[in-house]
Amino acid sequence: MVAKLLAEPSRVTEVYQRLEQRYQAGQLRHSAYIHWHSILDCIDQPELFQRELLDEGERMCKLRRRTILTGILTEQERLALLYPEQP
């Protein structure tokens, strides 16, 4: 997802909209909203963006469980990542 967002930064607009919708619907706490917003704001810094999204810390792992990054990958792309072909 990170690579696709970096390759197609216009998709971040959709992610911001999803973030706003979930926040307004009360599905995100303010701290999670701010955290996601700060990550999305650094899309123009690819290394930082990738590092923050892929962080293995407890907080980011928790945020990823209820991710706002839905609809980025096609079903085919998702399956290819989940079940890579074995040589």
Side-chain angles (χ1 to χ4, degrees), residues 8-46:
E8 301 172 35
S10 61
R11 289 180 161 275
V12 173
T13 302
E14 301 167 27
V15 180
Y16 273 117
Q17 290 171 347
R18 198 168 303 107
L19 175 63
E20 291 298 330
Q21 288 170 345
R22 289 191 183 178
Y23 184 61
Q24 295 303 319
Q27 296 173 327
L28 282 174
R29 291 184 178 200
H30 186 69
S31 61
Y33 172 80
I34 296 298
H35 196 89
W36 276 117
H37 217 290
S38 67
I39 292 170
L40 295 174
D41 283 347
C42 63
I43 187 77
D44 59 340
Q45 300 173 59

